[in-house]
Amino acid sequence: GAVVSQHPSWVICKSGTSVKIECRSLDFQATTMFWYRQFPKQSLMLMATSNEGSKATYEQGVEKDKFLINHASLTLSTLTVTSAHPEDSSFYICSARRGTPPVKQYFGPGTRLTVT
Amino acid sequence: DAKTTQPTSMDCAEGRAANLPCNHSTISGNEYVYWYRQIHSQGPQYIIHGLKNNETNEMASLIITEDRKSSTLILPHATLRDTAVYYCIVRPGGSGGGADGLTFGKGTHLIIQP
């Protein structure tokens, strides 16, 4: 089956620093990737849609200048949390949409970010 | 996307069938029912989806009522590894929910008891 990886699986950073999270589709090309965020004991919330070669589309309430998304190739999208603060601590999950039939979304394992 | 209602939590004995209900009374004619699950601290996993007919795959069965206002996900022989939060999502499109980002509700926390 289709595999999506994320790196790192967990990261601890100091307040004010930036953190980059990678999302890769390992065995298929993904023209579209999605980024979600999940706070403890809450459900996943869609943050943004990332399209290869174009600007990402952010959901309402998500700061595009704080959460920088780059989708430079058909197998890689990155999410950079800039000037991270403790309230950005969360579980970040990406998914990749395979364009060839059957068109499905495949989720990565998630990245646990802790900002101290 | 149509709103769904699921019980907050359910228990099931290991080896028994787990039946997870979902109410989607406002579902539109072009909307499918999708089920995903999320094991603790992992990304969601696609389980199954359907439009109006009952569906079965290697993981589960999906029973959709004739009026399509509710459905039931059935895990035929639950194991401890099936303990997870199960999400019922209703949305247009029939290819595994691949078109757009998904809207997750609170889901049902299924706990399989040994």
Side-chain angles (χ1 to χ4, degrees), chain A residues 76-91:
Chain A
L76 174 63
S77 176
T78 61
L79 169 69
T80 301
V81 182
T82 63
S83 187
H85 291 284
E87 56 265 32
D88 298 322
S89 297
S90 188
F91 192 48

Side-chain angles (χ1 to χ4, degrees), chain A residues 21-35:
Chain A
I21 302 170
E22 293 185 349
C23 177
R24 293 182 185 272
S25 55
L26 298 184
D27 53 358
F28 66 98
Q29 293 184 332
T31 55
T32 302
M33 292 184 173
F34 304 93
W35 287 96

Side-chain angles (χ1 to χ4, degrees), chain A residues 18-19 21 35-37 39 47-50 56-59 61-70 78-85 87-92 113 115:
Chain A
S18 296
V19 174
I21 302 170
W35 287 96
Y36 296 81
R37 178 169 55 180
F39 293 108
M47 297 176 66
T49 300
S50 166
T57 303
Y58 291 82
E59 296 298 303
V62 178
E63 300 175 56
K64 63 179 181 180
D65 295 329
K66 180 170 183 62
F67 299 98
L68 302 179
I69 293 173
N70 184 278
T78 61
L79 169 69
T80 301
V81 182
T82 63
S83 187
H85 291 284
E87 56 265 32
D88 298 322
S89 297
S90 188
F91 192 48
Y92 291 86
L113 170 63
V115 184

Side-chain angles (χ1 to χ4, degrees), chain A residues 32 34 36 38 42-46 49 91 93 97 102-110 112, chain B residues 36 38 40-46 49 87 95-106:
Chain A
T32 302
F34 304 93
Y36 296 81
Q38 185 175 34
Q42 295 187 23
S43 191
L44 285 82
M45 294 294 293
L46 178 66
T49 300
F91 192 48
I93 305 166
R97 186 180 80 190
V103 177
K104 286 186 177 181
Q105 276 189 53
Y106 298 90
F107 285 84
R112 176 78 57 192
Chain B
Y36 285 79
Q38 185 180 24
H40 183 62
S41 293
Q42 296 184 23
Q45 177 187 23
Y46 165 83
H49 76 281
Y87 298 99
S95 299
D100 299 314
L102 298 174
T103 301
F104 288 83
K106 297 187 177 183

Side-chain angles (χ1 to χ4, degrees), chain B residues 2 22-31 33 50-54 63-72 90:
Chain B
C22 179
N23 182 287
H24 33 78
S25 58
T26 61
I27 191 170
S28 301
N30 67 338
E31 289 184 313
V33 180
L51 181 62
K52 56 182 179 181
N53 297 322
N54 298 337
I63 308 298
I64 302 174
T65 58
E66 193 168 343
D67 63 7
R68 302 208 322 123
K69 293 184 177 182
S70 66
S71 61
T72 301
V90 172

